Amino acid sequence: MDKAGKSAALENLKGVFEGAGVVVVTHYTGLTVAEMTKLRGLLRKDGAHFKVVKNRLAKIALGGAGGDKAQELFQGPVAIAYSPDPVSAAKAADEFSKENSKLVIIGAVMGEQVLDASGVEALAKLPSLDQLRGKLIGLIQAPATKVAGVIQAPASQLARVVSAYASKDAA
């Protein structure tokens, strides 16, 4: 890679580390092209991306974020899974690594915080941002529908009473 290519790749990686909610660091030794394509598709479905990175460029792009622990993650054949949502990349990578033992999760970087493999697994068990939004909207809407039902109940009962008297008088 020439100097211009390295500087472009470095700027791209800096953008990834700054904009991502989580960057999951993995070793991908032994994965075939078909398996990598399947993993990328799985990640893309959840709004995440997968990229093979050069360790030296990744360490420079981190810019000291996460300290020495983050620097230690980047050794060997490294690829990163990243997404703006802190859960989706971890969830998809963890799910794929359970199916395919060739993908090994080393850890993750979340801003200044560094997670080990068990931390990534715990993060993967959390609901995604969209799932949390759905639950929150459901909780907000539930009382409104209950209030509407309670307000509507006396009027419907009154209508039934009036209808019953009307049918009684007609008979």
Side-chain angles (χ1 to χ4, degrees), residues 31-93:
L31 282 176
T32 64
V33 173
E35 291 169 335
M36 291 274 267
T37 304
K38 181 182 176 185
L39 173 59
R40 283 189 169 106
L42 184 67
L43 285 161
R44 197 173 300 118
K45 183 182 74 174
D46 291 337
H49 303 283
F50 189 73
K51 183 175 189 166
V52 175
V53 296
K54 289 189 168 284
N55 294 335
R56 180 85 176 121
L57 291 178
K59 288 177 182 179
I60 294 169
L62 274 172
D68 291 337
K69 285 184 181 179
Q71 300 285 326
E72 291 171 4
L73 293 176
F74 292 94
Q75 295 175 0
V78 171
I80 57 173
Y82 58 95
S83 67
D85 176 14
V87 177
S88 61
K91 188 173 285 204

Short mmCIF file of all heavy atoms in Angstrom, two decimals, residues 31-93:
data_model
loop_
_atom_site.label_atom_id
_atom_site.label_comp_id
_atom_site.label_asym_id
_atom_site.label_seq_id
_atom_site.Cartn_x
_atom_site.Cartn_y
_atom_site.Cartn_z
N LEU A 31 -11.26 -18.52 7.75
CA LEU A 31 -12.57 -18.27 7.15
C LEU A 31 -12.44 -18.24 5.63
O LEU A 31 -11.54 -17.61 5.09
CB LEU A 31 -13.15 -16.94 7.62
CG LEU A 31 -13.77 -16.89 9.00
CD1 LEU A 31 -14.21 -15.48 9.34
CD2 LEU A 31 -14.94 -17.83 9.12
N THR A 32 -13.34 -18.91 4.95
CA THR A 32 -13.34 -18.88 3.49
C THR A 32 -14.03 -17.61 3.02
O THR A 32 -14.67 -16.90 3.80
CB THR A 32 -14.08 -20.10 2.92
OG1 THR A 32 -15.45 -20.03 3.33
CG2 THR A 32 -13.47 -21.41 3.39
N VAL A 33 -13.91 -17.35 1.73
CA VAL A 33 -14.56 -16.17 1.16
C VAL A 33 -16.08 -16.28 1.32
O VAL A 33 -16.75 -15.29 1.64
CB VAL A 33 -14.17 -16.01 -0.33
CG1 VAL A 33 -14.96 -14.90 -0.98
CG2 VAL A 33 -12.68 -15.75 -0.46
N ALA A 34 -16.62 -17.46 1.13
CA ALA A 34 -18.06 -17.65 1.27
C ALA A 34 -18.51 -17.38 2.72
O ALA A 34 -19.56 -16.77 2.94
CB ALA A 34 -18.44 -19.07 0.86
N GLU A 35 -17.72 -17.82 3.68
CA GLU A 35 -18.06 -17.59 5.08
C GLU A 35 -17.96 -16.10 5.44
O GLU A 35 -18.80 -15.58 6.18
CB GLU A 35 -17.14 -18.41 5.99
CG GLU A 35 -17.40 -19.90 5.90
CD GLU A 35 -16.33 -20.75 6.57
OE1 GLU A 35 -15.18 -20.28 6.69
OE2 GLU A 35 -16.64 -21.89 6.95
N MET A 36 -16.96 -15.44 4.89
CA MET A 36 -16.81 -13.99 5.13
C MET A 36 -17.99 -13.24 4.51
O MET A 36 -18.52 -12.29 5.10
CB MET A 36 -15.50 -13.46 4.54
CG MET A 36 -14.28 -13.94 5.25
SD MET A 36 -13.84 -12.92 6.64
CE MET A 36 -12.72 -11.81 5.87
N THR A 37 -18.42 -13.66 3.33
CA THR A 37 -19.55 -13.03 2.66
C THR A 37 -20.83 -13.24 3.47
O THR A 37 -21.63 -12.32 3.63
CB THR A 37 -19.72 -13.60 1.24
OG1 THR A 37 -18.49 -13.42 0.54
CG2 THR A 37 -20.84 -12.91 0.49
N LYS A 38 -21.00 -14.44 4.01
CA LYS A 38 -22.16 -14.72 4.85
C LYS A 38 -22.15 -13.85 6.10
O LYS A 38 -23.17 -13.29 6.50
CB LYS A 38 -22.17 -16.20 5.24
CG LYS A 38 -23.35 -16.61 6.09
CD LYS A 38 -23.28 -18.07 6.48
CE LYS A 38 -24.42 -18.43 7.43
NZ LYS A 38 -24.31 -19.80 7.92
N LEU A 39 -20.98 -13.71 6.71
CA LEU A 39 -20.84 -12.87 7.91
C LEU A 39 -21.14 -11.41 7.58
O LEU A 39 -21.87 -10.75 8.33
CB LEU A 39 -19.43 -13.00 8.49
CG LEU A 39 -19.07 -12.07 9.64
CD1 LEU A 39 -20.00 -12.28 10.83
CD2 LEU A 39 -17.64 -12.29 10.07
N ARG A 40 -20.62 -10.93 6.48
CA ARG A 40 -20.88 -9.54 6.09
C ARG A 40 -22.37 -9.31 5.85
O ARG A 40 -22.92 -8.27 6.22
CB ARG A 40 -20.06 -9.18 4.86
CG ARG A 40 -18.62 -8.92 5.16
CD ARG A 40 -17.88 -8.34 3.95
NE ARG A 40 -16.56 -7.87 4.34
CZ ARG A 40 -15.43 -8.51 4.05
NH1 ARG A 40 -15.45 -9.62 3.35
NH2 ARG A 40 -14.28 -8.00 4.45
N GLY A 41 -23.03 -10.26 5.23
CA GLY A 41 -24.47 -10.15 4.99
C GLY A 41 -25.26 -10.14 6.29
O GLY A 41 -26.21 -9.38 6.44
N LEU A 42 -24.86 -11.00 7.21
CA LEU A 42 -25.51 -11.05 8.52
C LEU A 42 -25.34 -9.72 9.27
O LEU A 42 -26.29 -9.20 9.86
CB LEU A 42 -24.92 -12.20 9.35
CG LEU A 42 -25.51 -12.49 10.71
CD1 LEU A 42 -26.94 -13.00 10.56
CD2 LEU A 42 -24.67 -13.52 11.44
N LEU A 43 -24.15 -9.17 9.20
CA LEU A 43 -23.88 -7.89 9.86
C LEU A 43 -24.63 -6.75 9.16
O LEU A 43 -25.20 -5.87 9.81
CB LEU A 43 -22.39 -7.60 9.88
CG LEU A 43 -21.58 -8.41 10.89
CD1 LEU A 43 -20.11 -8.41 10.54
CD2 LEU A 43 -21.79 -7.87 12.29
N ARG A 44 -24.62 -6.75 7.84
CA ARG A 44 -25.27 -5.68 7.08
C ARG A 44 -26.76 -5.65 7.36
O ARG A 44 -27.37 -4.57 7.41
CB ARG A 44 -25.01 -5.89 5.58
CG ARG A 44 -25.26 -4.66 4.75
CD ARG A 44 -24.84 -4.83 3.30
NE ARG A 44 -23.43 -5.11 3.16
CZ ARG A 44 -22.95 -6.24 2.62
NH1 ARG A 44 -23.75 -7.16 2.16
NH2 ARG A 44 -21.65 -6.43 2.53
N LYS A 45 -27.37 -6.83 7.56
CA LYS A 45 -28.79 -6.91 7.88
C LYS A 45 -29.10 -6.16 9.17
O LYS A 45 -30.16 -5.57 9.31
CB LYS A 45 -29.19 -8.38 8.00
CG LYS A 45 -30.66 -8.62 8.26
CD LYS A 45 -30.94 -10.09 8.41
CE LYS A 45 -30.43 -10.52 9.76
NZ LYS A 45 -30.74 -11.87 10.15
N ASP A 46 -28.15 -6.16 10.10
CA ASP A 46 -28.34 -5.48 11.39
C ASP A 46 -27.78 -4.06 11.39
O ASP A 46 -27.70 -3.43 12.44
CB ASP A 46 -27.67 -6.28 12.51
CG ASP A 46 -28.38 -7.59 12.77
OD1 ASP A 46 -29.58 -7.69 12.45
OD2 ASP A 46 -27.75 -8.52 13.31
N GLY A 47 -27.33 -3.57 10.24
CA GLY A 47 -26.79 -2.21 10.16
C GLY A 47 -25.34 -2.11 10.58
O GLY A 47 -24.86 -1.04 10.92
N ALA A 48 -24.62 -3.21 10.57
CA ALA A 48 -23.21 -3.23 10.97
C ALA A 48 -22.34 -3.56 9.76
O ALA A 48 -22.84 -3.92 8.69
CB ALA A 48 -23.00 -4.25 12.08
N HIS A 49 -21.04 -3.44 9.93
CA HIS A 49 -20.08 -3.70 8.86
C HIS A 49 -18.93 -4.54 9.39
O HIS A 49 -18.66 -4.56 10.59
CB HIS A 49 -19.54 -2.39 8.30
CG HIS A 49 -20.61 -1.47 7.80
ND1 HIS A 49 -21.25 -1.65 6.61
CD2 HIS A 49 -21.18 -0.38 8.37
CE1 HIS A 49 -22.15 -0.71 6.45
NE2 HIS A 49 -22.14 0.08 7.51
N PHE A 50 -18.21 -5.20 8.47
CA PHE A 50 -17.08 -6.06 8.82
C PHE A 50 -15.93 -5.68 7.90
O PHE A 50 -16.10 -5.57 6.69
CB PHE A 50 -17.47 -7.53 8.62
CG PHE A 50 -16.46 -8.51 9.13
CD1 PHE A 50 -16.30 -8.70 10.48
CD2 PHE A 50 -15.67 -9.24 8.25
CE1 PHE A 50 -15.39 -9.63 10.96
CE2 PHE A 50 -14.76 -10.16 8.72
CZ PHE A 50 -14.62 -10.35 10.08
N LYS A 51 -14.77 -5.48 8.50
CA LYS A 51 -13.64 -5.01 7.71
C LYS A 51 -12.35 -5.60 8.25
O LYS A 51 -12.11 -5.60 9.45
CB LYS A 51 -13.59 -3.48 7.80
CG LYS A 51 -12.54 -2.84 6.97
CD LYS A 51 -12.65 -1.33 7.05
CE LYS A 51 -11.73 -0.72 6.04
NZ LYS A 51 -12.00 0.67 5.82
N VAL A 52 -11.50 -6.07 7.34
CA VAL A 52 -10.16 -6.53 7.70
C VAL A 52 -9.28 -5.29 7.80
O VAL A 52 -9.31 -4.44 6.90
CB VAL A 52 -9.61 -7.52 6.64
CG1 VAL A 52 -8.19 -7.90 6.96
CG2 VAL A 52 -10.49 -8.75 6.57
N VAL A 53 -8.51 -5.18 8.88
CA VAL A 53 -7.70 -3.98 9.09
C VAL A 53 -6.24 -4.34 9.33
O VAL A 53 -5.92 -5.44 9.77
CB VAL A 53 -8.21 -3.15 10.30
CG1 VAL A 53 -9.60 -2.62 10.04
CG2 VAL A 53 -8.18 -3.94 11.58
N LYS A 54 -5.39 -3.39 9.03
CA LYS A 54 -3.98 -3.52 9.36
C LYS A 54 -3.80 -3.07 10.81
O LYS A 54 -4.30 -2.02 11.21
CB LYS A 54 -3.12 -2.65 8.44
CG LYS A 54 -3.06 -3.17 7.02
CD LYS A 54 -2.02 -2.38 6.25
CE LYS A 54 -1.70 -3.03 4.95
NZ LYS A 54 -0.86 -4.19 5.06
N ASN A 55 -3.10 -3.88 11.59
CA ASN A 55 -2.95 -3.61 13.01
C ASN A 55 -2.30 -2.26 13.28
O ASN A 55 -2.73 -1.50 14.15
CB ASN A 55 -2.15 -4.72 13.68
CG ASN A 55 -2.90 -6.03 13.67
OD1 ASN A 55 -4.12 -6.06 13.60
ND2 ASN A 55 -2.16 -7.13 13.72
N ARG A 56 -1.25 -1.96 12.56
CA ARG A 56 -0.52 -0.70 12.79
C ARG A 56 -1.42 0.50 12.53
O ARG A 56 -1.44 1.45 13.31
CB ARG A 56 0.72 -0.68 11.88
CG ARG A 56 1.55 0.56 12.00
CD ARG A 56 2.53 0.43 13.15
NE ARG A 56 3.38 1.60 13.18
CZ ARG A 56 3.46 2.41 14.22
NH1 ARG A 56 2.77 2.15 15.31
NH2 ARG A 56 4.24 3.46 14.19
N LEU A 57 -2.18 0.45 11.43
CA LEU A 57 -3.08 1.56 11.13
C LEU A 57 -4.20 1.67 12.16
O LEU A 57 -4.60 2.77 12.55
CB LEU A 57 -3.68 1.39 9.73
CG LEU A 57 -2.72 1.56 8.56
CD1 LEU A 57 -3.43 1.30 7.24
CD2 LEU A 57 -2.09 2.94 8.56
N ALA A 58 -4.70 0.53 12.63
CA ALA A 58 -5.76 0.55 13.63
C ALA A 58 -5.27 1.16 14.94
O ALA A 58 -5.98 1.93 15.58
CB ALA A 58 -6.29 -0.86 13.87
N LYS A 59 -4.05 0.82 15.33
CA LYS A 59 -3.50 1.37 16.57
C LYS A 59 -3.31 2.88 16.46
O LYS A 59 -3.57 3.62 17.41
CB LYS A 59 -2.15 0.70 16.89
CG LYS A 59 -2.30 -0.74 17.35
CD LYS A 59 -0.95 -1.38 17.58
CE LYS A 59 -1.07 -2.83 17.98
NZ LYS A 59 0.24 -3.47 18.20
N ILE A 60 -2.88 3.34 15.30
CA ILE A 60 -2.73 4.79 15.10
C ILE A 60 -4.09 5.47 15.09
O ILE A 60 -4.29 6.53 15.68
CB ILE A 60 -1.96 5.07 13.79
CG1 ILE A 60 -0.52 4.57 13.90
CG2 ILE A 60 -1.97 6.56 13.46
CD1 ILE A 60 0.25 4.58 12.59
N ALA A 61 -5.07 4.84 14.42
CA ALA A 61 -6.41 5.42 14.32
C ALA A 61 -7.10 5.51 15.68
O ALA A 61 -7.91 6.41 15.90
CB ALA A 61 -7.26 4.60 13.36
N LEU A 62 -6.79 4.58 16.57
CA LEU A 62 -7.38 4.66 17.91
C LEU A 62 -6.98 5.94 18.62
O LEU A 62 -7.74 6.47 19.41
CB LEU A 62 -6.94 3.45 18.75
CG LEU A 62 -7.76 2.19 18.63
CD1 LEU A 62 -7.09 1.05 19.36
CD2 LEU A 62 -9.15 2.39 19.14
N GLY A 63 -5.79 6.41 18.35
CA GLY A 63 -5.34 7.66 18.94
C GLY A 63 -5.29 7.64 20.45
O GLY A 63 -5.58 8.64 21.09
N GLY A 64 -4.97 6.51 21.03
CA GLY A 64 -4.86 6.42 22.49
C GLY A 64 -6.16 6.10 23.19
O GLY A 64 -6.17 5.94 24.41
N ALA A 65 -7.28 6.02 22.45
CA ALA A 65 -8.55 5.67 23.08
C ALA A 65 -8.48 4.26 23.62
O ALA A 65 -8.03 3.34 22.95
CB ALA A 65 -9.70 5.80 22.08
N GLY A 66 -8.91 4.07 24.84
CA GLY A 66 -8.90 2.74 25.45
C GLY A 66 -7.57 2.35 26.06
O GLY A 66 -7.45 1.30 26.67
N GLY A 67 -6.53 3.16 25.86
CA GLY A 67 -5.23 2.89 26.47
C GLY A 67 -4.54 1.68 25.89
O GLY A 67 -4.75 1.27 24.76
N ASP A 68 -3.67 1.08 26.72
CA ASP A 68 -2.88 -0.07 26.29
C ASP A 68 -3.74 -1.31 26.04
O ASP A 68 -3.41 -2.13 25.20
CB ASP A 68 -1.82 -0.40 27.34
CG ASP A 68 -0.72 0.66 27.41
OD1 ASP A 68 -0.55 1.37 26.40
OD2 ASP A 68 -0.06 0.77 28.46
N LYS A 69 -4.85 -1.44 26.77
CA LYS A 69 -5.72 -2.60 26.58
C LYS A 69 -6.26 -2.63 25.15
O LYS A 69 -6.34 -3.69 24.54
CB LYS A 69 -6.89 -2.57 27.56
CG LYS A 69 -6.53 -2.93 28.97
CD LYS A 69 -7.79 -2.97 29.81
CE LYS A 69 -7.47 -3.31 31.25
NZ LYS A 69 -8.68 -3.34 32.08
N ALA A 70 -6.65 -1.49 24.64
CA ALA A 70 -7.17 -1.43 23.26
C ALA A 70 -6.07 -1.73 22.27
O ALA A 70 -6.29 -2.41 21.27
CB ALA A 70 -7.78 -0.06 22.98
N GLN A 71 -4.86 -1.26 22.53
CA GLN A 71 -3.73 -1.51 21.63
C GLN A 71 -3.41 -3.00 21.57
O GLN A 71 -3.04 -3.52 20.53
CB GLN A 71 -2.49 -0.73 22.10
CG GLN A 71 -2.67 0.78 22.15
CD GLN A 71 -2.65 1.42 20.77
OE1 GLN A 71 -1.95 0.97 19.89
NE2 GLN A 71 -3.44 2.47 20.62
N GLU A 72 -3.55 -3.71 22.70
CA GLU A 72 -3.23 -5.13 22.76
C GLU A 72 -4.20 -5.99 21.96
O GLU A 72 -3.87 -7.12 21.59
CB GLU A 72 -3.23 -5.60 24.23
CG GLU A 72 -2.09 -5.04 25.04
CD GLU A 72 -2.22 -5.33 26.52
OE1 GLU A 72 -3.17 -6.05 26.91
OE2 GLU A 72 -1.40 -4.82 27.29
N LEU A 73 -5.42 -5.48 21.69
CA LEU A 73 -6.39 -6.25 20.92
C LEU A 73 -5.93 -6.47 19.48
O LEU A 73 -6.28 -7.46 18.86
CB LEU A 73 -7.74 -5.54 20.91
CG LEU A 73 -8.50 -5.44 22.23
CD1 LEU A 73 -9.76 -4.61 22.05
CD2 LEU A 73 -8.84 -6.80 22.77
N PHE A 74 -5.14 -5.54 18.97
CA PHE A 74 -4.77 -5.57 17.56
C PHE A 74 -3.44 -6.29 17.36
O PHE A 74 -2.39 -5.68 17.16
CB PHE A 74 -4.73 -4.14 17.00
CG PHE A 74 -6.09 -3.52 16.94
CD1 PHE A 74 -6.55 -2.73 17.97
CD2 PHE A 74 -6.92 -3.77 15.86
CE1 PHE A 74 -7.81 -2.17 17.93
CE2 PHE A 74 -8.19 -3.22 15.81
CZ PHE A 74 -8.64 -2.42 16.84
N GLN A 75 -3.49 -7.61 17.42
CA GLN A 75 -2.33 -8.47 17.17
C GLN A 75 -2.81 -9.66 16.36
O GLN A 75 -3.86 -10.23 16.66
CB GLN A 75 -1.71 -8.93 18.48
CG GLN A 75 -1.12 -7.81 19.28
CD GLN A 75 -0.61 -8.27 20.63
OE1 GLN A 75 -0.69 -9.44 20.97
NE2 GLN A 75 -0.07 -7.35 21.40
N GLY A 76 -2.07 -10.05 15.37
CA GLY A 76 -2.45 -11.18 14.54
C GLY A 76 -3.37 -10.75 13.41
O GLY A 76 -3.53 -9.56 13.15
N PRO A 77 -4.02 -11.71 12.75
CA PRO A 77 -4.94 -11.38 11.65
C PRO A 77 -6.26 -10.84 12.20
O PRO A 77 -7.09 -11.59 12.70
CB PRO A 77 -5.14 -12.72 10.94
CG PRO A 77 -4.86 -13.74 11.99
CD PRO A 77 -3.86 -13.14 12.92
N VAL A 78 -6.43 -9.54 12.14
CA VAL A 78 -7.54 -8.87 12.80
C VAL A 78 -8.54 -8.32 11.79
O VAL A 78 -8.16 -7.73 10.78
CB VAL A 78 -7.03 -7.73 13.71
CG1 VAL A 78 -8.16 -6.89 14.25
CG2 VAL A 78 -6.22 -8.29 14.85
N ALA A 79 -9.81 -8.51 12.12
CA ALA A 79 -10.91 -7.87 11.39
C ALA A 79 -11.83 -7.26 12.44
O ALA A 79 -11.91 -7.74 13.57
CB ALA A 79 -11.66 -8.89 10.56
N ILE A 80 -12.50 -6.18 12.07
CA ILE A 80 -13.38 -5.50 13.02
C ILE A 80 -14.82 -5.54 12.50
O ILE A 80 -15.07 -5.46 11.30
CB ILE A 80 -12.95 -4.04 13.28
CG1 ILE A 80 -12.88 -3.23 11.99
CG2 ILE A 80 -11.63 -4.01 14.01
CD1 ILE A 80 -12.64 -1.74 12.19
N ALA A 81 -15.74 -5.68 13.42
CA ALA A 81 -17.17 -5.54 13.15
C ALA A 81 -17.60 -4.29 13.90
O ALA A 81 -17.31 -4.15 15.09
CB ALA A 81 -17.93 -6.76 13.63
N TYR A 82 -18.27 -3.39 13.21
CA TYR A 82 -18.63 -2.12 13.86
C TYR A 82 -20.01 -1.67 13.43
O TYR A 82 -20.49 -2.02 12.35
CB TYR A 82 -17.60 -1.04 13.57
CG TYR A 82 -17.39 -0.74 12.10
CD1 TYR A 82 -18.08 0.29 11.48
CD2 TYR A 82 -16.51 -1.49 11.34
CE1 TYR A 82 -17.89 0.56 10.14
CE2 TYR A 82 -16.32 -1.22 10.00
CZ TYR A 82 -17.01 -0.19 9.40
OH TYR A 82 -16.83 0.07 8.07
N SER A 83 -20.65 -0.91 14.31
CA SER A 83 -21.98 -0.37 14.02
C SER A 83 -22.23 0.84 14.91
O SER A 83 -21.62 0.96 15.97
CB SER A 83 -23.06 -1.42 14.27
OG SER A 83 -23.14 -1.72 15.64
N PRO A 84 -23.13 1.73 14.49
CA PRO A 84 -23.48 2.86 15.35
C PRO A 84 -24.21 2.41 16.61
O PRO A 84 -24.04 2.98 17.67
CB PRO A 84 -24.40 3.72 14.49
CG PRO A 84 -24.34 3.17 13.11
CD PRO A 84 -23.76 1.81 13.18
N ASP A 85 -25.02 1.36 16.48
CA ASP A 85 -25.73 0.78 17.61
C ASP A 85 -24.76 -0.12 18.38
O ASP A 85 -24.15 -1.01 17.80
CB ASP A 85 -26.91 -0.05 17.09
CG ASP A 85 -27.67 -0.78 18.18
OD1 ASP A 85 -27.47 -0.46 19.36
OD2 ASP A 85 -28.45 -1.68 17.84
N PRO A 86 -24.56 0.10 19.67
CA PRO A 86 -23.58 -0.69 20.41
C PRO A 86 -23.86 -2.18 20.48
O PRO A 86 -22.97 -2.96 20.74
CB PRO A 86 -23.63 -0.09 21.82
CG PRO A 86 -24.27 1.22 21.69
CD PRO A 86 -25.14 1.15 20.49
N VAL A 87 -25.08 -2.61 20.21
CA VAL A 87 -25.43 -4.00 20.40
C VAL A 87 -25.40 -4.81 19.10
O VAL A 87 -25.00 -5.97 19.10
CB VAL A 87 -26.82 -4.12 21.07
CG1 VAL A 87 -27.25 -5.55 21.22
CG2 VAL A 87 -26.81 -3.43 22.42
N SER A 88 -25.80 -4.22 17.98
CA SER A 88 -26.02 -5.02 16.77
C SER A 88 -24.76 -5.70 16.25
O SER A 88 -24.80 -6.86 15.86
CB SER A 88 -26.68 -4.18 15.69
OG SER A 88 -25.87 -3.09 15.34
N ALA A 89 -23.63 -5.01 16.22
CA ALA A 89 -22.39 -5.64 15.73
C ALA A 89 -21.95 -6.75 16.67
O ALA A 89 -21.54 -7.83 16.22
CB ALA A 89 -21.28 -4.60 15.59
N ALA A 90 -22.05 -6.52 17.96
CA ALA A 90 -21.67 -7.55 18.94
C ALA A 90 -22.58 -8.77 18.83
O ALA A 90 -22.12 -9.91 18.88
CB ALA A 90 -21.71 -6.97 20.35
N LYS A 91 -23.87 -8.53 18.66
CA LYS A 91 -24.83 -9.63 18.58
C LYS A 91 -24.59 -10.48 17.34
O LYS A 91 -24.54 -11.71 17.42
CB LYS A 91 -26.26 -9.06 18.57
CG LYS A 91 -27.33 -10.11 18.67
CD LYS A 91 -28.69 -9.47 18.82
CE LYS A 91 -28.82 -8.93 20.22
NZ LYS A 91 -30.14 -8.78 20.72
N ALA A 92 -24.42 -9.83 16.18
CA ALA A 92 -24.23 -10.58 14.94
C ALA A 92 -22.89 -11.33 14.95
O ALA A 92 -22.82 -12.49 14.52
CB ALA A 92 -24.30 -9.64 13.75
N ALA A 93 -21.84 -10.70 15.43
CA ALA A 93 -20.53 -11.35 15.47
C ALA A 93 -20.54 -12.53 16.45
O ALA A 93 -19.99 -13.60 16.16
CB ALA A 93 -19.44 -10.35 15.87
#
